[in-house]
Amino acid sequence: ESIRGPISTFWKIEDGYFTLKVKIPPGSSATVFIPQSDPGKIWLDDKLIGTSILVTDILLTKDRISFKIGSGEYYFRASFPE
């Protein structure tokens, strides 16, 4: 819960994929962390995150990626590293 409304997340790992559903209330933003360091293996709906205008400030580390999103509902899918 936030001052602007509910924030929700749901994630799972299944069949070699990490999936994440995120809901951010109007007028808010969030930083998302995904356990995959290759942006070519992470999708927002049916687009790679690097090609989406909804994703900004992408930062890569050895074992994860982080980025910012605005308000809305999102569905991310990433190949889960073995």
Side-chain angles (χ1 to χ4, degrees):
E1 189 71 26
S2 77
I3 192 170
R4 295 191 171 129
I7 299 168
S8 65
T9 62
F10 174 80
W11 65 270
K12 68 180 177 178
I13 298 170
E14 187 174 68
D15 298 326
Y17 287 95
F18 171 86
T19 59
L20 174 66
K21 294 180 182 179
V22 180
K23 184 176 180 182
I24 308 299
S28 301
S29 64
T31 300
V32 175
F33 293 85
I34 293 189
Q36 171 57 264
S37 59
D38 182 352
K41 296 181 179 179
I42 305 171
W43 294 267
L44 168 57
D45 298 323
D46 61 348
K47 295 182 179 180
L48 289 172
I49 63 164
T51 64
S52 173
I53 62 170
L54 302 174
V55 174
T56 63
D57 300 331
I58 297 173
L59 295 173
L60 304 173
T61 65
K62 177 182 170 188
D63 58 354
R64 69 181 180 189
I65 191 168
S66 67
F67 48 86
K68 291 187 181 178
I69 56 173
S71 58
E73 294 186 39
Y74 300 87
Y75 176 76
F76 297 98
R77 183 173 53 94
S79 298
F80 194 71
E82 309 222 359

